[in-house]
Amino acid sequence: MVVEHVEYREVIHPPVVESMTGQMRTENLSVFYDKTRQALFDVTLEMPARSITALIGPSGCGKSTFIRALNRMNEVIPGTVTTGRVYLDDIQIYDKRVDVVLLRRLVGMVFQRPNPFPRSIWENIAYGPRLAGIRKRSELDRIVEESLRKAALWDEVKDRLHESALGLSGGQQQRLCIARALAVNPRVLLLDEPAAALDPIATGRIEELLLQLKEELTIVIVTHNLQQAGRIADRTAFFLLGRLIEVGPTARIFENPGDERTEAYVTGRFG
Amino acid sequence: MKDVSVFTPAGRLLSSGLVSAVYRRRRLMDLLMTGLAGLAVLVAVVPLFSILISVAIRGLSALNLDFFTKMPVPIGETGGGVLNAIVGSGILVGLGTLIGLPIGLLSAIYLAEYGRGRLADTIRLFTEVMSGVPSIVVGIFAYAIVVRPLHHFSALAGGVALGILMIPVVTRTAEEMIRMVPQSLREAGLALGLPRWRVTVSIVLPSAASGIVTGAMLAVARIAGETAPLLFTALNNAFFSTSLLRPIASLPVQIYTYATSPYEELHRIAWGAVFVLVMMVLITNLLTRLAVRSGYEMKR
Ligand SMILES: Nc1ncnc2c1ncn2[C@@H]1O[C@H](COP(=O)(O)OP(=O)(O)OP(=O)(O)O)[C@@H](O)[C@H]1O
Ligand SMILES: [Mg+2]
């Protein structure tokens, strides 16, 4: 058992990570809060690599619950029970042998409200890499710059890297959070309504950014903004009352939905 | 539609035609409440200041260099100081902090971050009860567990008593401060792949640091002035001592002894000691505040 654990850590470590596609897939995923209250029912959904999958649906339908199941964040809440299987490539992430700490480095997450640490911009980004054992200052500097560039924030903050991250605007903070997630070189990026607290311009920048990032990452995004899903998502999944109603190419979901409940939602006659 | 508008402030003002009457009543209420709040502040602050001022007036006149550097002189002679009590208080408070702060802080971390279920509830209840226990009872407890086995009064026993008194104060304030750290920060750390304990140590605690330090200072201030628990434990010592295993003098006990004596000269010294005690608490408070603030500004 112990030996197997070690093997599994290796399975989920470089160089395997490098060759990982980052594709995610759930099979019959159900989540219960307080051990009994079921919030997610038997969801089977594929999230292909190098693409953006949008999760839409009315408030309380289980979108956050679903996306948090993908990096085992629901476990943080006492009393949650998860059944079914979730795969990152071919690793079943709920397997007892999987190291959840390593998993979360591979599957990064950005939240609805920007939540930078109350430290400098530089420290926010360097946090993850340092944790992963990188100590050399020059190497950290390189990662900080690269991550900030990827998050389209470098030019705005390069002269104030050592000032508090809390001094940034909301939109900048959110891009900082994306950069922070990118700094540990994840294969998957989960975003739970990342633009809900932002103005249209900041939102536009984040969307552009995600379109660039999908070249190398699997992106899963929860959004209440249907236009946003339309603009950026390759595939869209519609949730209702904890169930996956329909999933398909975004254009088809919006223009030619197969389920009348989907149609009601995307045409605005609903929730 | 019309019914609803009656309940909105603007709707009511317009439809009722009582614009000025309503407005006047609100302003009156506003004034009244502000007045009451001001009065409450006065009631709280006036006694505090009158105490501080009378302590300053009577205490300052007793102070001179000898007061801090000399030992007490025999009754009848004038002059002398309370060096032994100042040093003793420092040792007792330091020892108490050394015992009380880590235990209090660790239980606060446990309660706020990990504690669930029966064990946590029990600890919380204990803390609550402990903070309500009269300090003299804590003194008796320390007497039972330290003085009795060692067969004599000691600074150690006094430190233990003060430490026990400090635990619930630290635990309660620190737990509150740790709870105030937004959950989203913890999730940010966990989502980055930080193990739980690292989230606690490197994100939660630094974010709560200034509050925790302030709480700890309050706790130090509280034990610095305690007299009753020392009577059973550290007792008093007419001589200079830094030994943990002997009785030791302290400012509060010295004040108590002098103030209850019939000699005018001793009363004078007691006032001086009161002033020193108050200033010690005040200055430590200010210093920590300054340290916390400059640390905070460095982070910004
Ligand atoms: N911590 C929790 N404890 C108990 N029930 C919860 C918890 N979090 C969510 N739920 C319940 O699970 C269901 C799904 O919630 P979830 O947050 O996943 O919805 P959502 O689709 O993200 O909604 P929104 O669009 O408002 O964010 C809801 O009925 C909610 O009340
Ligand atoms: Mg949600």
Side-chain angles (χ1 to χ4, degrees):
Chain A
M1 194 65 206
V2 175
V3 175
E4 273 180 308
H5 183 85
V6 172
E7 275 172 11
Y8 228 83
R9 283 181 78 120
E10 280 164 4
V11 165
I12 205 166
H13 236 357
V16 182
V17 171
E18 296 302 319
S19 63
M20 220 175 224
T21 66
Q23 181 199 116
M24 290 205 82
R25 178 162 51 94
T26 69
E27 278 175 14
N28 304 100
L29 176 68
S30 295
V31 176
F32 304 76
Y33 286 110
D34 305 323
K35 299 209 169 71
T36 49
R37 275 200 41 223
Q38 191 162 4
L40 214 55
F41 298 81
D42 261 347
V43 176
T44 300
L45 176 63
E46 196 149 326
M47 290 144 283
R50 293 170 214 286
S51 74
I52 299 181
T53 304
L55 312 178
I56 61 170
S59 193
C61 68
K63 305 179 295 291
S64 297
T65 307
F66 177 82
I67 205 170
R68 289 165 62 93
L70 300 181
N71 66 346
R72 293 181 46 176
M73 275 303 271
N74 285 327
E75 285 171 14
V76 176
I77 304 163
T80 41
V81 174
T82 308
T83 64
R85 286 169 300 284
V86 179
Y87 291 96
L88 171 62
D89 277 27
D90 51 359
I91 299 170
Q92 210 285 84
I93 64 170
Y94 281 87
D95 188 305
K96 279 192 205 64
R97 295 166 299 177
V98 166
D99 183 339
V100 67
V101 166
L102 288 173
L103 170 73
R104 290 189 186 136
R105 283 182 207 161
L106 288 173
V107 184
M109 186 166 220
V110 174
F111 298 82
Q112 175 171 348
R113 299 220 152 261
N115 53 2
F117 302 132
R119 303 179 174 223
S120 76
I121 294 168
W122 190 93
E123 280 177 280
N124 262 276
I125 311 280
Y127 220 98
R130 268 181 170 165
L131 192 74
I134 299 173
R135 290 269 171 275
K136 257 176 68 187
R137 178 73 190 208
S138 58
E139 177 69 0
L140 288 170
D141 279 336
R142 190 189 62 71
I143 293 174
V144 168
E145 175 169 352
E146 186 186 295
S147 309
L148 285 170
R149 279 193 195 281
K150 276 191 198 161
L153 190 60
W154 174 252
D155 290 328
E156 288 159 69
V157 302
K158 61 170 185 270
D159 300 321
R160 48 195 282 208
L161 289 177
H162 297 285
E163 287 170 34
S164 168
L166 301 181
L168 297 173
S169 75
Q172 290 173 327
Q173 285 188 11
Q174 194 62 303
R175 275 179 284 149
L176 179 74
C177 291
I178 293 176
R180 183 175 66 187
L182 294 176
V184 287
N185 199 17
R187 306 313 307 142
V188 182
L189 190 60
L190 311 173
L191 305 105
D192 193 349
E193 299 186 54
L198 305 183
D199 69 37
I201 294 174
T203 303
R205 305 204 58 162
I206 302 251
E207 288 177 8
E208 266 171 47
L209 171 62
L210 294 181
L211 285 171
Q212 282 168 23
L213 290 175
K214 82 166 186 181
E215 299 301 325
E216 35 184 305
L217 289 173
T218 308
I219 294 178
V220 184
I221 179 172
V222 172
T223 180
H224 272 286
N225 181 337
L226 297 182
Q227 286 90 344
Q228 181 169 67
R231 283 192 297 267
I232 61 172
D234 299 291
R235 284 157 60 83
T236 296
F238 174 62
F239 284 73
L240 188 63
L241 298 172
R243 289 171 210 278
L244 173 65
I245 303 298
E246 190 174 357
V247 59
T250 300
R252 187 182 68 66
I253 293 290
F254 281 102
E255 285 151 26
N256 188 17
D259 192 291
E260 57 190 25
R261 290 166 293 182
T262 315
E263 185 179 4
Y265 185 73
V266 298
T267 54
R269 285 188 279 117
F270 201 105
Chain B
M1 230 23 221
K2 199 144 186 241
D3 287 338
V4 174
S5 74
V6 171
F7 291 102
T8 68
R12 194 160 79 194
L13 291 180
L14 294 176
S15 64
S16 64
L18 289 173
V19 177
S20 57
V22 167
Y23 183 63
R24 213 175 306 133
R25 216 184 59 211
R26 279 192 196 154
R27 231 181 36 177
L28 224 71
M29 203 59 186
D30 198 28
L31 266 173
L32 188 73
M33 284 303 167
T34 313
L36 278 177
L39 203 70
V41 171
L42 228 68
V43 168
V45 167
V46 164
L48 182 69
F49 269 86
S50 67
I51 289 172
L52 280 181
I53 289 169
S54 61
V55 165
I57 291 173
R58 303 204 200 191
L60 269 173
S61 66
L63 295 189
N64 48 37
L65 192 62
D66 283 357
F67 190 88
F68 296 97
T69 55
K70 293 254 164 73
M71 293 290 297
V73 292
I75 292 164
E77 292 175 35
T78 51
V82 290
L83 176 66
N84 58 340
I86 292 175
V87 171
S89 257
I91 288 174
L92 285 170
V93 170
L95 196 57
T97 308
L98 226 55
I99 295 168
L101 195 61
I103 298 178
L105 195 55
L106 285 175
S107 24
I109 292 170
Y110 172 76
L111 288 178
E113 295 290 293
Y114 301 93
R116 271 172 240 291
R118 195 163 294 163
L119 179 62
D121 288 344
T122 315
I123 296 178
R124 211 168 274 126
L125 182 74
F126 244 81
T127 315
E128 219 118 284
V129 171
M130 257 171 78
S131 62
V133 168
S135 55
I136 195 159
V137 175
V138 173
I140 294 169
F141 177 71
Y143 177 84
I145 64 163
V146 186
V147 178
R148 288 283 290 275
L150 296 180
H151 302 299
H152 52 80
F153 297 104
S154 64
L156 181 67
V160 168
L162 295 185
I164 295 173
L165 272 172
M166 195 170 176
I167 293 171
V169 187
V170 172
T171 303
R172 291 177 64 162
T173 49
E175 185 190 353
E176 213 142 288
M177 291 304 147
I178 293 172
R179 276 188 193 284
M180 269 164 55
V181 175
Q183 190 60 27
S184 66
L185 271 188
R186 296 185 180 87
E187 294 200 331
L190 290 171
L192 268 189
L194 269 78
R196 192 85 187 277
W197 67 270
R198 287 224 35 174
V199 172
T200 303
V201 172
S202 66
I203 297 176
V204 176
L205 289 184
S207 304
S210 66
I212 292 176
V213 170
T214 313
M217 278 330 297
L218 285 176
V220 169
R222 151 117 206 251
I223 62 167
E226 282 292 346
T227 320
L230 296 180
L231 295 174
F232 292 99
T233 51
L235 201 63
N236 202 343
N237 193 336
F239 304 101
F240 187 88
S241 164
T242 52
S243 163
L244 292 186
L245 294 176
R246 288 172 196 288
I248 198 165
S250 61
L251 284 170
V253 173
Q254 201 82 329
I255 292 165
Y256 173 76
T257 318
Y258 284 0
T260 50
S261 79
Y263 304 102
E264 196 61 38
E265 173 64 16
L266 293 188
H267 292 177
R268 216 176 55 81
I269 295 179
W271 276 111
V274 169
F275 183 75
V276 170
L277 191 57
V278 170
M279 287 323 276
M280 266 165 62
V281 170
L282 213 68
I283 289 170
T284 2
N285 241 314
L286 286 178
L287 282 182
T288 25
R289 245 157 235 251
L290 256 151
V292 167
R293 185 162 320 147
S294 68
Y296 181 72
E297 261 153 23
M298 240 166 54
K299 264 190 249 153
R300 287 197 64 101

